[in-house]
Amino acid sequence: MESKCILEKSSVVTSVGGVVDFNYRLGRYKSRVTAVEKNSYTPGPIFYKYVTDGGSTAAVKNERTSFAGSGHSPGVGVLQDVEKTGLRDQKDIGSTGILKRASPTLCLGTVRQLPGSSISLDIRNPGKQAELANSFRAAQGQNVPQAQRQPLPSSHIPVPRNRNPSGHADKEVMAATVLTSLSTSPLVLCPSSVPTEPASKTLKEVLSASYSSSTSGNWSWDASDQSVPSTPSPPLSKDANLGFLHSSQGDGANEDVSESTHFMFDDPIPRKRKNSMKVMFKCLWKNCEKVLSTSSGIQRHIRTVHLGRNSDSDYSDGEEDFYYSEIEVNMDSLTEGLSSLTPTSPTTAGPPPIFPPPLSDVSHSEYIAVNGSQSHLPSLLSQSAPSTLCHIRTDHAYQATAPVSIPVGPELAGIGSGNGIGPGTGTGTGNGISVSWQPPPVIFKGAPGPVTHVRTVSIGEKRQPATSTHAAVNKNHALITPQTKSAPGTRKPRGEAKKCRKVYGMEKRDMWCTACRWKKACQRFTD
DNA sequence: GATGCCGGGGT
DNA sequence: ACCCCGGCATC
């Protein structure tokens, strides 16, 4: 870490490093701010100014000027401008320590100079911290080297510029945001004392940031040096915040390190996201099922809709945090579930993602009940997935251990689809209920009671009077199957019932059940 | 011989 | 997974 610090410093001192850093911060800070609050008074560019100005005073300005004088034309102008703006803004904004703290560069220096305190303050109470930092700086007599001073304003946490004087609320919101961001990024930057960084960045931002930073070239090795253990993704936990603080204090370089870490894992993060896990934020307010993709969004929602706060103001006492929760949505499942659902419900035109109202059938109601709890998307998905199993292909049911029959409403029986044999069997019931929506037979395998074939008996096919009996037998058979099979060599006794072959004859082979056609155990006329 | 269907192979 | 068929057991 020491070496790192040194390195960083030098890089900053050398104009090159400084410039690079500067740029990098820019993107970074912007992103952070964006993540934290949308309604900041000042759009991105302003942040830039502040960033550059990062916790500096007139002295800093001087330093920078000289710094600029070292001959970086592009950066110089900017810097100077920024300086001015920064100064002015400082006056205007006063206690918006955030801005000042937006130190572009190293916080390592900061750490050393201001052992921990500044950083921790920074995180917990940015506003105050900023003030403290300022005062501190004043006390220090601006003697702090630039490299060290810049960091002072912790850039760890993105603090909204128009932060409310009551830094407390902000701090909580921020913490929430941070944590949220944390959980958003699956990669859980372990060592990162500032996991917020990567997490809160959008891919785009990350890219831009990484580009600018990559030029400095000393990011990567930092990452490998990560030895600071940290709890992986402890979302929504104050502890996380603490740990966060802790690590920040422990090593100011962590910030940069974490950043580098981020770059190192720049790939994995987006990749993981692609991996279909998306974090959503669900409003927990009673009767409010609102789900938003961003924490800020949900916070705003809660703030404005439920807490009756002014939507324009970003004031937040952190109360919103209690009214929303994070949920993870597996997009893959969603997609799969939906895609698989659609095709498997031939009898229902555009089946809704929700199960249709039951026919008063027990099985149905059960399912509905389950679905009723589908407040979470994941649940929905997980529920919908099995539903595909509900699509019963009687013809192939024999291949499964589950019996062909399932408890269905009488009116449903024989009407639904499932029989691949008879054409046009896929008409739904009068209620528009599709067999496809019935629960998987497996679930009801052992359920006795009125059972009927779901499969529609094709035209001309005589229904076995004892259908239900068949089904029951079939079930038993399914249960007994292991035994039967346990005796190798023993063949299942031939069923007594006439099979498709006999019933229809060879000439009507088309009417056979598939099993029969495949020379499998007749599935239509079970014993 | 006809039938039922297991086991296995092809796509 | 779907489809087909050889071959065996049973009737």
Side-chain angles (χ1 to χ4, degrees):
Chain A
M1 282 310 190
E2 272 308 299
S3 57
K4 272 185 240 169
C5 297
I6 297 171
L7 231 179
E8 294 292 352
K9 270 191 191 176
S10 62
S11 70
V12 174
V13 174
T14 58
S15 51
V16 177
V19 173
V20 171
D21 269 348
F22 178 75
N23 290 333
Y24 170 60
R25 298 288 170 174
L26 168 60
R28 194 176 146 227
Y29 191 68
K30 273 170 83 177
S31 69
R32 281 208 214 133
V33 172
T34 309
V36 172
E37 70 169 14
K38 295 172 183 173
N39 289 339
S40 72
Y41 298 148
T42 52
I46 304 267
F47 293 124
Y48 186 94
K49 292 176 188 173
Y50 288 116
V51 171
T52 334
D53 181 45
S56 63
T57 55
V60 172
K61 179 182 176 183
N62 291 336
E63 284 184 6
R64 290 204 175 167
T65 306
S66 62
F67 172 83
S70 64
H72 288 288
S73 45
V76 173
V78 178
L79 283 174
Q80 286 176 339
D81 285 344
V82 172
E83 305 276 5
K84 291 175 185 175
T85 324
L87 286 174
R88 185 195 61 217
D89 283 350
Q90 278 188 355
K91 289 176 185 175
D92 295 343
I93 296 172
S95 65
T96 51
I98 312 115
L99 303 175
K100 298 167 186 173
R101 295 184 297 107
S103 124
T105 348
L106 332 170
C107 53
L108 357 159
T110 306
V111 172
R112 286 184 189 167
Q113 288 259 325
L114 313 176
S117 62
S118 75
I119 294 199
S120 98
L121 278 173
D122 178 20
I123 296 170
R124 295 190 174 179
N125 196 337
K128 285 184 182 177
Q129 201 266 329
E131 291 177 358
L132 284 177
N134 286 335
S135 58
F136 179 82
R137 263 179 248 129
Q140 295 277 318
Q142 324 275 336
N143 290 333
V144 182
Q146 177 204 355
Q148 292 182 342
R149 188 174 304 151
Q150 280 183 329
L152 183 59
S154 96
S155 54
H156 287 290
I157 300 288
V159 184
R161 189 184 155 216
N162 61 335
R163 172 173 284 289
N164 192 302
S166 71
H168 177 68
D170 278 341
K171 124 191 139 187
E172 290 193 353
V173 172
M174 190 159 53
T177 306
V178 167
L179 295 175
T180 292
S181 306
L182 256 179
S183 64
T184 302
S185 104
L187 179 74
V188 183
L189 321 163
C190 32
S192 66
S193 54
V194 193
T196 33
E197 257 315 288
S200 61
K201 282 186 185 177
T202 65
L203 178 56
K204 189 171 64 180
E205 291 165 337
V206 167
L207 286 178
S208 65
S210 60
Y211 283 145
S212 56
S213 67
S214 61
T215 54
S216 74
N218 47 4
W219 300 103
S220 51
W221 66 266
D222 273 2
S224 62
D225 192 30
Q226 292 305 306
S227 57
V228 182
S230 87
T231 43
S233 87
L236 302 181
S237 150
K238 297 287 181 185
D239 293 344
N241 197 21
L242 291 178
F244 178 171
L245 292 175
H246 185 66
S247 52
S248 293
Q249 294 180 357
D251 185 357
N254 270 343
E255 175 189 350
D256 293 286
V257 167
S258 69
E259 288 170 0
S260 60
T261 301
H262 165 53
F263 295 132
M264 287 291 284
F265 299 101
D266 198 2
D267 261 355
I269 295 175
R271 207 177 289 149
K272 263 241 173 181
R273 281 179 183 156
K274 283 178 193 171
N275 201 7
S276 73
M277 290 311 290
K278 182 173 177 64
V279 175
M280 306 288 280
F281 300 90
K282 180 169 178 264
C283 178
L284 297 178
W285 200 272
K286 196 162 65 176
N287 295 331
C288 180
E289 299 282 310
K290 184 140 189 150
V291 176
L292 296 176
S293 58
T294 62
S295 61
S296 59
I298 198 68
Q299 286 179 4
R300 184 179 307 282
H301 160 78
I302 294 169
R303 204 184 307 136
T304 59
V305 177
H306 301 308
L307 298 179
R309 303 255 162 77
N310 183 358
S311 60
D312 293 337
S313 97
D314 276 321
Y315 171 78
S316 159
D317 54 7
E319 190 179 353
E320 313 94 273
D321 298 350
F322 297 102
Y323 297 113
Y324 74 91
S325 70
E326 239 176 85
I327 58 176
E328 265 194 1
V329 180
N330 187 327
M331 302 309 277
D332 281 351
S333 303
L334 177 57
T335 329
E336 287 174 16
L338 292 178
S339 63
S340 60
L341 273 177
T342 307
T344 53
S345 42
T347 57
T348 313
I354 48 173
F355 292 89
L359 282 176
S360 76
D361 188 69
V362 177
S363 61
H364 272 288
S365 49
E366 275 185 25
Y367 242 69
I368 297 298
V370 174
N371 289 323
S373 65
Q374 291 178 354
S375 55
H376 288 270
L377 281 175
S379 312
L380 173 62
L381 298 177
S382 58
Q383 289 299 327
S384 58
S387 70
T388 60
L389 299 175
C390 299
H391 176 66
I392 298 171
R393 291 195 49 178
T394 340
D395 289 337
H396 300 153
Y398 75 93
Q399 291 177 327
T401 55
V404 178
S405 27
I406 59 172
V408 204
E411 61 276 28
L412 203 61
I415 302 183
S417 65
N419 185 357
I421 296 173
T425 55
T427 49
T429 67
N431 296 347
I433 305 268
S434 164
V435 178
S436 306
W437 290 107
Q438 293 178 17
V442 185
I443 295 177
F444 306 94
K445 194 156 86 178
V451 188
T452 53
H453 267 288
V454 174
R455 175 188 56 79
T456 305
V457 177
S458 58
I459 303 170
E461 177 181 356
K462 289 176 185 175
R463 223 164 143 126
Q464 295 287 319
T467 312
S468 58
T469 306
H470 276 302
V473 173
N474 199 7
K475 285 181 182 180
N476 290 335
H477 173 64
L479 294 175
I480 297 170
T481 301
Q483 289 181 356
T484 311
K485 288 209 170 184
S486 64
T490 332
R491 212 168 182 181
K492 182 178 109 183
R494 183 188 290 182
E496 293 177 4
K498 285 188 176 182
K499 306 298 180 182
C500 294
R501 178 193 294 260
K502 268 209 171 141
V503 172
Y504 302 112
M506 287 298 291
E507 61 282 358
K508 290 183 181 179
R509 201 183 174 193
D510 287 344
M511 297 180 75
W512 293 8
C513 69
T514 7
C516 283
R517 270 182 286 154
W518 297 344
K519 293 171 75 173
K520 300 291 183 186
C522 179
Q523 176 268 327
R524 183 172 298 171
F525 307 106
T526 56
D527 293 317

